[in-house]
Amino acid sequence: MSATVIPAYVVGLITVERINDELFEYMEAVEATMHRFGGRWVSHGRSPEVYEGDIGADIVIIEFPSLSSAQDWYTSDEYKEIIPLRARNCHSIVAVIEGVSSDYSTSETIARLRSATAQQTLP
């Protein structure tokens, strides 16, 4: 039986401060850097409809086949080379997060949290 492959996601909260040729250059180049690592757009160029709280940014989501492929993409020389093009023109928060398997249930997280809580000593 083969191991389940869990996808990972790069999530960016992007607030554009300046729209210029440098930002367009980044946008054109980023796609080519992610394809080599199996990345694909999940959401790009869309503003969220916020139901709770305040985001104040656009959300970009890129899916990768695994956590290691997402990490390898973000730390690749090709991507690191173009980050300044975005950074000079946007305020960005970027995170990599592993997804869950298709049979995931919240009971897994509840069990992990209960175990961690039970191991804590009370003052």
Side-chain angles (χ1 to χ4, degrees):
M1 182 175 201
S2 63
T4 302
V5 177
I6 307 291
Y9 302 89
V10 173
V11 179
L13 300 178
I14 311 296
T15 303
V16 176
E17 296 170 349
R18 286 175 293 286
I19 297 175
N20 56 32
D21 288 341
E22 196 172 58
L23 184 59
F24 294 136
E25 182 181 345
Y26 169 82
M27 292 173 72
E28 290 171 349
V30 69
E31 199 164 69
T33 67
M34 63 191 227
H35 286 296
R36 183 165 73 87
F37 297 91
R40 72 167 193 88
W41 296 115
V42 174
S43 182
H44 185 259
R46 308 289 190 271
S47 296
E49 184 173 332
V50 180
Y51 291 102
E52 295 183 33
D54 180 28
I55 294 175
D58 291 335
I59 300 173
V60 172
I61 304 171
I62 306 169
E63 181 182 62
F64 287 87
S66 66
L67 183 60
S68 63
S69 61
Q71 294 165 329
D72 290 347
W73 168 73
Y74 190 84
T75 60
S76 70
D77 290 340
E78 299 92 337
Y79 186 63
K80 286 193 295 188
E81 184 178 310
I82 65 171
I83 289 174
L85 299 172
R86 173 181 42 80
R88 285 192 291 264
N89 297 289
C90 301
H91 173 74
S92 304
I93 298 171
V94 179
V96 175
I97 187 166
E98 189 171 36
V100 296
S101 66
S102 60
D103 62 347
Y104 170 82
S105 168
T106 57
S107 62
E108 294 175 36
T109 300
I110 291 168
R112 190 180 76 245
L113 291 172
R114 283 192 172 141
S115 176
T117 302
Q119 293 176 18
Q120 294 176 352
T121 53
L122 299 175

